[in-house]
């Protein structure tokens, strides 16, 4: 999401589509030896090298909700190494889902222990009352017309629609679970709890986030593909 | 909350006060050997004997969100015993907070394992988009006037206000942490994430819950103490 906003002048956002979460998202997690995020002030947090949006979200929460200034270090995403050397570790995606379900003891600077886990989707909700938009679909402005003509956008909308059925989700969860060594139910539940639309609440959450995370960002810079009447806000 | 509604004709609800949560609440948790709540259909769930509201919430979620019919058995609240004999265990309060933080391996019908955890505040949010009101203040109608005259309500509002300051919360968290054997930060964070008001969103969440949970409940039955103009909805 933040990459699309940083390149706002070069892209169109596809309206009505996102990957978002209202409350806990399960795949954008801060693991920490501290029982309260506020105790991470001036402590070091290892940041995944996989996601600019999640890093910006964590920084916004530390600044605006917790009023703390941790030291941030981008590292390879590998929870045991991150928590061996740092008081916190931002981990996203499959690794976050697997590590939170296993929730195993890891080596800390003070011995072996089970880390505390903060779900940034829930933290964002508690600060703003809004969903968090983790991903958007964007197309480069110079090629958008050609993509539209080639049917790419139509295919994207159709496949999002198709991916939301119970059957499609179960098929996806089975493939995903086998790859991660997790129970199918854990993946099915994860997919069911995400949302894939971009309605008024998601747009409000997106706007709030981008205005907090980016200096000099103006919401009006974002251009959505298609006529204004097709937009949901 | 549900007890107040069941005795709606005998009590006044104190306006503006509740204990509520938007998203994860951390102290009303379903522990389960199943990786997805939907897999608990026809399975047995042990229910805490500590809270009628939490039991009604779990039942509403199983029926309305997951479309499953587990077998419910009220038992003594003791997670290891509950999960030794049942596929799920509803645990609330201090025990829920401690067990989710320790997140230890327990004996299951199939050996030792770490249970999956579902936070019912987050589950409710994902179904309704609303906060969940866990507790209300209610006064018996016949004694309300005398309590008002004796300054009881004023004292309650004043102490709720006072309890919301950072200092008061830290003091409470320290006492609470010592008793539970938890880090102070874990208790501070828990208290900070609760809300204690009863505004439009909480009232909407309360209404939705009571209408789902109670047969023949009419929202108009609930009477709030004081003049209608003092209400927040």
């Amino acid at each position: 999401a933040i990459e699309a906003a940083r390149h706002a002048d070069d892209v169109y956002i596809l309206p009505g589509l996102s990957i978002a979460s209202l409350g806990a998202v399960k795949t954008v997690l801060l693991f920490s030896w501290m029982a309260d995020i506020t105790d991470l002030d001036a402590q070091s947090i290892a940041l995944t090298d996989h996601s600019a949006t999640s890093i910006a979200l964590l920084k916004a929460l530390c600044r605006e909700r917790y009023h703390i200034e941790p030291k941030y270090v981008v590292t390879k995403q590998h929870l045991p190494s991150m928590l061996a050397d740092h008081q916190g570790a931002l981990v996203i995606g499959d690794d976050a889902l697997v590590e939170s379900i296993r929730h195993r003891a890891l080596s800390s600077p003070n011995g072996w222990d089970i880390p505390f886990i903060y779900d940034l989707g829930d933290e964002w909700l508690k600060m703003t009352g809004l969903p968090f938009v983790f991903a958007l679909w964007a197309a480069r402005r110079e090629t958008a017309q050609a993509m539209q003509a080639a049917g790419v956008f139509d295919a994207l909308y159709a496949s999002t629609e198709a991916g939301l059925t119970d059957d499609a989700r179960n098929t996806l969860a089975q493939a995903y679970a086998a790859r991660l060594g997790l129970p199918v139910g854990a993946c099915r539940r994860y997919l069911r709890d995400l949302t894939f639309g971009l309605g008024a609440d998601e747009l409000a959450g997106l706007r709030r986030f981008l205005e907090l995370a980016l200096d000099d960002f103006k919401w009006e810079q974002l251009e959505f593909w298609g006529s204004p009447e097709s937009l949901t806000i």
Side-chain angles (χ1 to χ4, degrees), chain A:
Chain A
I2 206 162
E3 286 303 318
R6 280 184 181 137
H7 298 98
D9 294 341
D10 302 322
V11 301
Y12 293 115
I13 309 296
L14 296 195
L17 291 183
S18 81
I19 301 176
S21 172
L22 181 62
V25 63
K26 302 181 188 67
T27 49
V28 181
L29 304 178
L30 178 69
F31 293 79
S32 177
W33 300 120
M34 297 296 184
D36 184 356
I37 292 187
T38 57
D39 295 330
L40 283 166
D41 191 32
Q43 301 293 321
S44 102
I45 298 180
L47 302 173
T48 174
D49 53 355
H50 292 194
S51 162
T53 296
S54 300
I55 290 176
L57 172 57
L58 176 64
K59 289 182 175 176
L61 287 167
C62 286
R63 202 173 58 236
E64 306 289 335
R65 174 160 156 83
Y66 293 107
H67 314 293
I68 60 171
E69 290 187 41
K71 293 172 231 157
Y72 299 106
V73 190
V74 176
T75 70
K76 189 161 165 300
Q77 175 166 297
H78 180 251
L79 183 65
S81 319
M82 293 160 101
L83 280 185
D85 297 328
H86 303 272
Q87 287 296 328
L90 177 66
V91 174
I92 69 147
D94 300 347
D95 288 354
L97 189 65
V98 171
E99 292 285 4
S100 64
I101 287 173
R102 294 178 63 183
H103 207 185
R104 55 184 169 157
L106 294 169
S107 173
S108 84
N110 305 311
W112 289 79
D113 211 341
I114 297 178
F116 294 92
I117 303 177
Y118 305 86
D119 189 305
L120 299 199
D122 187 64
E123 297 291 330
W124 174 258
L125 170 81
K126 287 188 165 63
M127 183 167 88
T128 64
L130 295 168
F132 190 83
V133 174
F134 289 95
L136 293 169
W137 291 94
R140 294 171 64 90
R141 289 194 189 182
E142 60 210 43
T143 56
Q145 192 60 56
M147 291 174 83
Q148 166 87 26
V152 173
F153 298 160
D154 289 344
L156 186 58
Y157 284 98
S159 71
T160 300
E161 190 86 5
L164 292 176
T165 66
D166 281 355
D167 276 356
R169 199 158 47 207
N170 286 342
T171 305
L172 186 57
Q174 271 163 18
Y176 192 33
R179 188 159 60 79
L180 299 182
L182 287 178
V184 175
C187 297
R188 194 169 56 216
R189 179 187 173 208
Y190 165 63
L191 294 170
R192 192 178 50 226
D193 284 350
L194 292 175
T195 61
F196 300 95
L198 186 60
D201 287 351
E202 288 78 21
L203 286 168
L206 177 65
R207 178 175 186 161
R208 180 81 179 273
F209 169 63
L210 294 175
E211 290 176 347
L212 281 177
L214 295 173
D215 292 335
D216 306 322
F217 173 78
K218 297 276 178 298
W219 179 249
E220 295 69 30
Q221 287 178 271
L222 279 194
E223 288 227 26
F224 289 81
W225 177 248
S227 62
E229 303 87 63
S230 73
L231 302 187
T232 45
I233 202 173

